[in-house]
Amino acid sequence: MKNIIIWMNCLLSVFDPSSLFLFPSLSVSRGSQQSITNGISRSKFIKTNAGETSGNLLSWPAEVTNQIVQKPRGIKHHGSLTKPRFLEQLESHLKRELEALDTHGIKVQELRLQVFQEVFGYLIEEFKTYKPIFSAIKNEYDVTLAHLREQIRDLLPLRAKLVLVSEQCEKRILDQRVQERDELRALKRECQRLQRVIESMRGQQTALQIQVDHLKEDLATQYQLYRDERDARKLLITRISTMTSTQDTEHDDNNEEDESEDPVVVKMALQVCREDLTKVQVELNRLQAEYSDVVPRRDWDNLNHIHEETLIKLETLQTDFDQLKSEYDTLLEVHRQSAPAVLHSSQSELQHIVTTPRPNWEQCSDILGGSERCKELFEGQSSQKRLEILLQQMNGQNDFFTGLGTSSDVPIYLQYEGQLKNLKLKKADVVRVIKDIWREKTSENEKNDDSRDLQMFLHSYLVEHYKDKAGEWAYSLMEIIQNNLEDDLICLFNDILIGKVDESIYHGQTQLLSYLLKVLIQSDTTQCGSLTVLEFSDALRKAFPLKADQDIEELLAVAQTELKSNGVRIAYQTLYTEDTDGRHKEFLSLVKKQATAERLQYISELRMQLEGKGEVDAEHLRTAFKTIDPSLDSETLDWNLSVAFQTKECELQTQALNTEVLLQRLSVANVNRAGPK
């Protein structure tokens, strides 16, 4: 290829010596260039003469181009130089073809190359002498171009693949950046949480350091007292020794004995005293070790005397019981004998009552505080007695309450004396106060590890909010509570207040309803406040994975009935609305009812596991829980044991308790199954 380009330059220089440098990429030595130029000059001369004689080739200086030819000074040219006709024809043809091309086409460069190839072909055909070398050069160029086009055609798919790979790499980089961004956020949150934990631990360390400083101060004080006592004891011993020596001196003076004691004798006496002191100390230690658990005789006599008095009282009570039992048997026999006569008189009285018009006492239920209390007061009473009870309730208990006093058997929130005004609260006011009490007590439980019982908190709440009228609010509140025990919220508050059930029942119900609402909101992807029946059913199964299909279907049916749904969508937020009295509707009531039934069923399974055991300790109860509920975590298990043994989780006692007592305590607490059987 290099040689072809050299010969191409040489041939073109025949017509234009300046074209020797058409291929700047090729470096030609100065000697080669000079030899080629000399040969070309000779050829040019020969062809010029031949052209003049034959007329086939017209001379045209290569210097005459589109540029202006500089004229040397002092030399004048006459006439003008004209281009050869063939050259003008080629240039005009080339110009026409290039102007006819569409410059906005896709393959305009290939079309231009084709035009130039055509002109170059005309040039080859015209010069017969150089046709072989020109044809070889043209063919070599065509082969090279075809080879380059083939390489470009092979590289085009690689270019598309390169673009695709580049896009995939960019996508992976973006995904990696998103993932790293999420991980960085998670790490930042974890770092912040750990910083809060560190701050909390630093606070605890500061508090512990303060306690250590206080203990050091107390220890220093005790040590100083010990040193003072030791010094005082030594001083006392010194005084006693001084007094003893003074008495010995006086005795010696009275006897007028100036005999001096022998040092050897004194040394021996001191040695004997030390040996006796060691023996006495050993004996004292032995006595303390042997008689450390021995009860003194005085205490034994007192306990024996108390035991004898208790036996005497027991015998007296047993005698009284036997006497009462005999009297009861006698009265029972008399009742059996007189039963027919009493039955006859009762039938006569009943017939008289049936024939007499009876008033509708159910209308008095609103005045007496509900149908349950009305039934309790009127049950088994005559019409006259019922009328007296009604008047007494209307006249004596509407304006004032009489305080129960401040004795220890009265609840602390009712420990008031004198007359207390009846505030005549409404049920809505009581519900509002109960909800506010639970809200403040929950907040206090979250702040403090040791929470107060509901009685103490109720007393503090009333004193804090109502001050001097705390007693009036307490008695008025309890009156409305006792008259509305059919309400779930009020009844649960009263049961926890009197200790019938544990406070964890309320918190468990609240957490259960909150978790259900959270799952329903998460299932609402459109955030429109409603779910389809299928979505609502799936949300219930997600919130209550341990419920049976029958319970899920029952909840779904009650929700549709409560909302009067058309069977398409369920507005789940409406299920959490309350009535005018602040009570939950049927759906949430059914959720709490099913939770109570599941909790009691769980306790029944635990009872069956412990069947036949009169007493159970902490380890046996732990094993029973793990047997019926393998998914139970250690923290919840420790809490269940602390409820059963009524102690802290870290202070579980090893002694055994009655099985029924433990099951009773667990049945009134929020003890639930953690996983499947």
Side-chain angles (χ1 to χ4, degrees), residues 193-205:
R193 186 186 68 80
L194 292 176
Q195 287 179 353
R196 290 193 296 269
V197 172
I198 290 173
E199 292 296 333
S200 176
M201 295 182 68
R202 285 179 179 173
Q204 294 179 2
Q205 183 180 4

Side-chain angles (χ1 to χ4, degrees), residues 191-249:
C191 182
Q192 293 175 358
R193 186 186 68 80
L194 292 176
Q195 287 179 353
R196 290 193 296 269
V197 172
I198 290 173
E199 292 296 333
S200 176
M201 295 182 68
R202 285 179 179 173
Q204 294 179 2
Q205 183 180 4
T206 304
L208 292 175
Q209 185 63 36
I210 293 173
Q211 294 181 4
V212 170
D213 294 339
H214 290 169
L215 291 175
K216 285 182 178 180
E217 293 177 359
D218 294 342
L219 180 61
T221 303
Q222 294 293 333
Y223 183 69
Q224 185 64 33
L225 293 175
Y226 167 73
R227 290 188 62 183
D228 294 342
E229 184 178 358
R230 186 189 63 177
D231 295 340
R233 182 173 176 274
K234 289 183 178 180
L235 182 60
L236 180 61
I237 293 174
T238 303
R239 290 180 180 178
I240 293 174
S241 300
T242 304
M243 292 175 62
T244 304
S245 62
T246 303
Q247 292 177 0
D248 293 340
T249 303

Side-chain angles (χ1 to χ4, degrees), residues 137-153:
I137 293 171
K138 181 183 177 183
N139 291 334
E140 188 65 27
Y141 270 103
D142 291 340
V143 171
T144 303
L145 289 175
H147 176 68
L148 294 176
R149 287 194 185 99
E150 186 67 23
Q151 287 186 347
I152 292 173
R153 192 179 301 109

